[in-house]
Structures are given as structure tokens and as C-alpha cells.
Amino acid sequence: MKPLLMYADRDFEVDLSPQVFRYRERDAPWQQLLPPYERAVVEDLELDTLLRAMAAGDEFLYEIACKAIRSALRNNIGTILYRQATLGDCLRFPTVVRELYDLTVEATEGTKRRWWDLSSRYPSSTLYSATDLLGMLLGALRKLRRIADEHGAHFQSAAFSSLFSTVKRELTDDYLATIQAYLTDLRFNKGVLISVELGQYNESVNYLLRLNRLKDPHWLLRMIGKGSPGYTFHLAGPDEAGARILSEMHNRAISRVSVTLANSAEHVWAFFKLLRAELAFYVACLNLHGRLHAKGEPVCFPTPAPDTARMHTFAGLYDVCLSLHIEGRTVGNSTAADGKNLVIITGANQGGKSSFLRSIGIAQVMMQCGMFVGAESFQAEVCPALFTHYKREEDSTMKSGKFDEEVSRMSGIVDRIVPNSIVLFNESFTATNEREGSEIASQIVTALLERRVKVFFVTHLYQFARSFLERTDDVLFLRPERKPDGTRTFRILEGEPLETSYGEDLYHEIFDGNGRAAIEDSARASGTQPPTESESG
């Protein structure tokens, strides 16, 4: 019996042993264990914020969410839609899903506190451990059957429908009663009934454990001395050799049963561990959905398209990680970029360009993970790989200049890129002069487009942006909205690049109102006279 909640045809590939990625402050951040290009995506998109919101402080949920996010880009459209339907059931019946998850936690964590020697070289020890473990798991199986009976008919997804129908079909009342009866017999409260044959040289062979269904004799028969119908013998006094021989006979008789029971116990335990791991992803999604719903942020199930298509149309798309950091709601953006291979976003700072770019990457990862996305509607093609190339601050540990570091990171991306990938550039190639940076950026983007790679590029390089103005068929230009008085709305609208950077806005920000007052206070604190408006101009 398999859960099959993450994939329709296979188990969720997760290591259920102690994990590599540990959510502990004393350990190194898990991102540091990733390859450089994956670490860049996690840091640039601030995916750790997303993961922490999904985990809600639970280490196991955090690890499962990490695994799901890292493997998201390997999912095909069938898997994405399969998980969307499963998550839809979870959103409709969150209480039932959490009850089911709590049951798996109880079955795995509760039993893990006990010690079982299922691989002991002593069959008696193995049998005792397996019987004890199965006895505890039998209670969890009964609760699982109860949940399936009470709520299974309400779930509509293929994943949950299959799980609950399998549970009801295989865990029947008669089957559970039979397991209980066998476990009772295997405790040997009435002793061990063994049959043995004599071999060629009178050695004992063909040990078999017999089912002891003999009822205890009536009390009257016991009083008048009516004995057992079989042959029995007793050890007279302390007889270590005799005790050892009887123990060997006992172990030989139960060896096959102990191995079979140990395998059964491990199988049931593995089922609950895997069910817990797969349910953990959906519980983590419920945690995130609860955070966003409490703020009134919209979410939707995206529509995935084949990777050969060029689709990117959305309404009300926002940066989920930014929303998790602030109290109020974030500004959503709507764009129709179907058929576009290159999207260039220009404009002055503090207009929302970086947040818009991050919202594109986060939505892509969430969609391919089978999750909802932070938008009113979202449609995009799936991609086999996602890369980010963001401007980095000065680092004293760098062995070369910033521009060399940018080129080196770009080289690492090119080594791994495949057709239909997506690359997000944020202020790249600005460590040199505009002419040289524009030329390099133009050549790199042109080469990527020829390789059928979709590019989103946030830039201040006007010459670079202008070089693509003639490609109106597959290039979309966006820029932040700016009202006549200089107010930023943080909305990204369609518009060609402008030469101005609105330096006048920066001037008024510094010298008008609070900015002017701050300069005056600083001047007085230093014992100098503040400049007049004509002097500052």
C-alpha cells in the first residue's frame, strides 16, 4: 500500500533518515550546502522566507518543503495538475488533512521513542520487537480506516480518492481482527507448539511453529489431573545445557515467523513514514495559505503550459516573500507577455522593479511545485531550469573585481542552461561603464534568445534596452508607473525605456520636507550653517 499523494505513479523521493538540511540556528544555513547556481536562486528569490512560512517552526515540514521546492523544476504538467487537485482537497478539508497528518506523526514519532531490534540475530528478540511494533501500529491502522470511512467520500482528487479506497479495501474489519488474533497468538501466552521431524541420523529437522488453538481445559479437568493430549517434558532443577537446547529449538521453530513478521512491521512503519512525508508538503501549503489569507492576499491555482510555448499572462501578481515581511498587502501587477522571449524592465529606483522580478521567479517555482501562486490569475509555461543573475555588493573576500565576478557567474549559468530555461537578470553588468556593460549584456541576451531561453531583465542600461526596440514581436518593455508629481505606485506597466532617471525626484527627496530638515539637523550638530536652497541647488 502506497500513499501516492505527490506523484500518481511513484513515491515522493525523500530520504526519511536524518536529513542533510537541518533547520537549526547552530548549523550552517542549508543554502550553503547547495551548488552555487541553486544557492543564488534561493538567495535572490528569498525562498528561505517562503520555506519558513510553510514550516511554521516545524523542522520536519521545513525539510520536506525544501525537498519539494528543490525538485519542482523536474515536475511535468501532469504532476503539477495532480498536486493542484490534491491541494484543492486539502484547502476544502484542512481539518481532516491535519488530523490525518497528526495520526502519521503519532504513528512514527510515538513508535520511534521505543527501541526495536528487528534485525537481531536472535529470532525470539526479533519476534518480540516486531509483535510489539505491529501492536502499536495496529491502532494507527484502525484510526486511518475510521478517517477513510467518515471522510473519504467527500474528497474529489485522484490522490485522496485512491488512498481512501485502498484503505477501505485492504484494511477491512475482518483483516484487522485477523492481525490482532495473530499478534495475540505470537505472544505465546499458552506456550509454543512445535512440530519436529527426525532426520537421517536422528537429528531434528523441519522445525515448524504450529498454531495453538487448544483451549484451556475446564477447571474440573485440571483438578482431577486431566493432562495435555501432547507429550511434554520439564527441566529438573538448574540445567543450563538443557535450557540452551530448548532455547535453540524455540529459535529454530520461530525463525521464519520472526523474519516474516519483522518485514511486515517494517512495511507498515515505512508506509506511515512515507504518508507523513507526503502529507507534510500539503500541511506546509496550508500553513502558507493561512498566512496569506489572513492578510487578504489573493491566491490562485496557475495554468501550466508546455515548455515550448511562450506564455506569461497574469493578473494581480505580487511578491509573496515581500508580503510575508510586511504588515499590509502588497501591490499586484498584471501583464500579458504571451509570445515574448524577452521582457525588459527599466525605470528609476524604488519603483518596484526588483519585487516584480522576484514575483516572477517565486510564482514559477510555486507553480511547478504544484502549489497555488500569489496572484489573481497566472498562466505560464513550465521550464526545465531557472537561473538568477543579480547584482552583488562589494565583497572583501572576492579575489577579482565585481565585473569579473559577474562574468564568472554568467559563465557558470551558461554551462548548465538548456533550451526553454528562464533567466532573471537584476542590474547585471553595471560594474563597468554603460557602453561596455550595454554591449556585453546585449550580446549575452541575444545568444540566450537564439538558444530559446526566456529572459527577464531589470536594467538601468539605456543603450542596452534601446538596442532591442526594433524587436517588437518577441520583446516586451515594462517600467514602473510614475505619476506627474513623482509619486510611485509600485505598479509595473507597459512602456518603452526612457533616458531620464528622474534625478529631480531624488533632489526633492533629499532637500525638500524631511530630507531638508535632516540636512539642517546634521549641519547644526556639526557646528556649521545649513546650506540655503540656492546653495544646495
Side-chain angles (χ1 to χ4, degrees):
M1 190 164 61
K2 295 185 176 182
L4 299 180
L5 297 180
M6 296 290 281
Y7 299 97
D9 56 352
R10 66 184 187 275
D11 297 333
F12 183 42
E13 298 174 359
V14 59
D15 184 7
L16 298 178
S17 61
Q19 305 275 326
V20 175
F21 307 121
R22 285 299 181 187
Y23 178 24
R24 297 192 181 106
E25 295 297 332
R26 64 176 181 272
D27 291 343
W30 69 274
Q31 301 97 311
Q32 301 302 318
L33 303 174
L34 300 176
Y37 66 94
E38 286 191 37
R39 184 165 65 247
V41 173
V42 171
E43 294 175 354
D44 293 335
L45 300 184
E46 299 184 12
L47 291 180
D48 193 59
T49 299
L50 183 73
L51 294 169
R52 289 177 183 271
M54 296 175 70
D58 187 292
E59 180 180 329
F60 186 78
L61 294 183
Y62 186 88
E63 292 172 357
I64 295 300
C66 286
K67 176 65 178 179
I69 291 293
R70 286 195 64 197
S71 61
L73 299 181
R74 297 198 295 268
N75 296 331
N76 56 31
I77 294 179
T79 298
I80 293 172
L81 297 177
Y82 184 80
R83 292 186 187 178
Q84 285 184 5
T86 308
L87 181 55
D89 270 345
C90 296
L91 294 175
R92 284 188 292 271
F93 308 104
T95 303
V96 178
V97 173
R98 290 188 183 275
E99 180 185 3
L100 191 59
Y101 179 72
D102 290 341
L103 170 61
T104 63
V105 174
E106 177 186 349
T108 53
E109 293 296 327
T111 54
K112 193 167 65 175
R113 296 190 187 98
R114 299 284 299 272
W115 179 84
W116 286 281
D117 190 7
L118 298 182
S119 59
S120 172
R121 63 189 183 95
Y122 298 106
S124 57
S125 177
T126 301
L127 184 64
Y128 174 81
S129 299
T131 303
D132 199 12
L133 175 57
L134 271 177
M136 297 186 67
L137 293 176
L138 185 59
L141 290 175
R142 288 197 175 98
K143 292 180 181 178
L144 179 60
R145 169 62 193 275
R146 177 188 57 79
I147 294 175
D149 288 339
E150 294 178 358
H151 307 287
H154 302 144
F155 286 73
Q156 302 174 2
S157 65
F160 275 112
S161 296
S162 176
L163 173 64
F164 288 138
S165 62
T166 301
V167 167
K168 289 189 287 187
R169 182 179 65 253
E170 297 192 8
L171 300 181
T172 63
D173 292 338
D174 291 341
Y175 178 75
L176 295 176
T178 301
I179 293 178
Q180 183 63 69
Y182 279 129
L183 292 178
T184 301
D185 290 335
L186 290 173
R187 297 186 188 280
F188 302 125
N189 294 326
K190 300 178 182 179
V192 181
L193 185 60
I194 303 173
S195 68
V196 184
E197 296 179 0
L198 291 178
Q200 183 177 2
Y201 301 102
N202 286 336
E203 75 278 13
S204 55
V205 296
N206 297 333
Y207 281 81
L208 288 178
L209 180 65
R210 297 294 181 175
L211 191 60
N212 189 355
R213 291 301 190 189
L214 296 177
K215 296 182 179 180
D216 291 333
H218 191 270
W219 64 271
L220 182 58
L221 295 178
R222 291 200 302 268
M223 290 185 62
I224 63 177
K226 183 66 174 178
S228 171
Y231 293 99
T232 61
F233 57 90
H234 303 276
L235 294 178
D239 186 353
E240 295 183 3
R244 185 176 64 254
I245 293 172
L246 286 180
S247 177
E248 292 175 355
M249 294 175 62
H250 176 269
N251 285 330
R252 291 181 66 179
I254 67 172
S255 60
R256 293 171 60 185
V257 174
S258 65
V259 172
T260 301
L261 199 64
N263 291 337
S264 299
E266 288 183 339
H267 176 75
V268 176
W269 198 20
F271 165 76
F272 276 109
K273 289 194 294 182
L274 185 57
L275 180 59
R276 178 190 177 186
E278 298 194 0
L279 282 171
F281 168 73
Y282 296 102
V283 172
C285 291
L286 290 177
N287 291 339
L288 177 63
H289 185 273
R291 288 278 302 274
L292 297 176
H293 180 72
K295 298 186 59 177
E297 296 281 26
V299 296
C300 70
F301 281 116
T303 302
D307 59 359
T308 55
R310 281 296 178 264
M311 292 186 178
H312 240 105
T313 299
F314 46 83
L317 178 67
Y318 61 94
D319 182 352
V320 172
C321 294
L322 175 62
S323 179
L324 293 170
H325 278 303
I326 63 177
E327 293 185 2
R329 291 184 56 183
T330 54
V331 176
N333 287 287
S334 302
T335 300
D338 289 351
K340 306 300 182 181
N341 294 306
L342 172 61
V343 179
I344 298 179
I345 307 101
T346 59
N349 289 332
Q350 306 301 319
K353 302 188 305 297
S354 295
S355 295
F356 174 77
L357 187 67
R358 192 162 50 241
S359 70
I360 294 289
I362 294 173
Q364 189 72 32
V365 172
M366 293 177 69
M367 179 186 73
Q368 296 198 215
C369 201
M371 301 170 59
F372 48 79
V373 300
E376 296 169 4
S377 65
F378 187 88
Q379 179 180 13
E381 76 268 18
V382 298
C383 67
L386 174 69
F387 301 92
T388 59
H389 190 276
Y390 280 37
K391 179 180 66 175
R392 298 282 186 249
E393 300 298 329
E394 284 286 358
D395 186 356
S396 59
T397 62
M398 289 195 303
K399 299 180 180 179
S400 57
K402 287 182 63 178
F403 183 69
D404 290 339
E405 188 271 339
E406 283 189 300
V407 173
S408 176
R409 277 192 290 123
M410 190 67 234
S411 177
I413 293 175
V414 170
D415 290 340
R416 295 171 177 82
I417 208 161
V418 295
N420 301 315
S421 299
I422 294 178
V423 184
L424 309 178
F425 291 93
N426 192 11
E427 303 292 353
S428 300
F429 313 114
T430 56
T432 183
N433 60 73
E434 176 164 345
R435 180 178 179 181
E436 185 178 29
S438 296
E439 180 64 24
I440 292 174
S442 179
Q443 292 187 19
I444 289 176
V445 170
T446 300
L448 292 175
L449 296 179
E450 292 176 354
R451 190 77 186 276
R452 285 195 56 79
V453 174
K454 179 179 280 192
V455 175
F456 289 83
F457 208 122
V458 170
T459 184
H460 285 299
L461 299 174
Y462 175 71
Q463 295 182 28
F464 158 70
R466 187 178 179 181
S467 66
F468 290 94
L469 279 176
E470 297 181 356
R471 297 185 55 165
T472 57
D473 56 335
D474 65 342
V475 179
L476 177 65
F477 292 95
L478 302 174
R479 65 171 185 256
E481 182 182 27
R482 176 186 179 273
K483 293 186 176 181
D485 61 356
T487 303
R488 305 288 199 275
T489 64
F490 303 106
R491 297 188 183 279
I492 307 298
L493 305 178
E494 187 171 349
E496 294 183 358
L498 302 176
E499 288 189 78
T500 177
S501 296
Y502 298 108
E504 183 181 356
D505 293 347
L506 184 61
Y507 172 84
H508 289 298
E509 180 182 344
I510 295 175
F511 294 107
D512 289 354
N514 294 334
R516 174 69 185 178
I519 292 177
E520 292 177 351
D521 291 343
S522 177
R524 293 190 185 96
S526 62
T528 60
Q529 292 294 324
T532 64
E533 291 191 11
S534 60
E535 292 173 339
S536 61

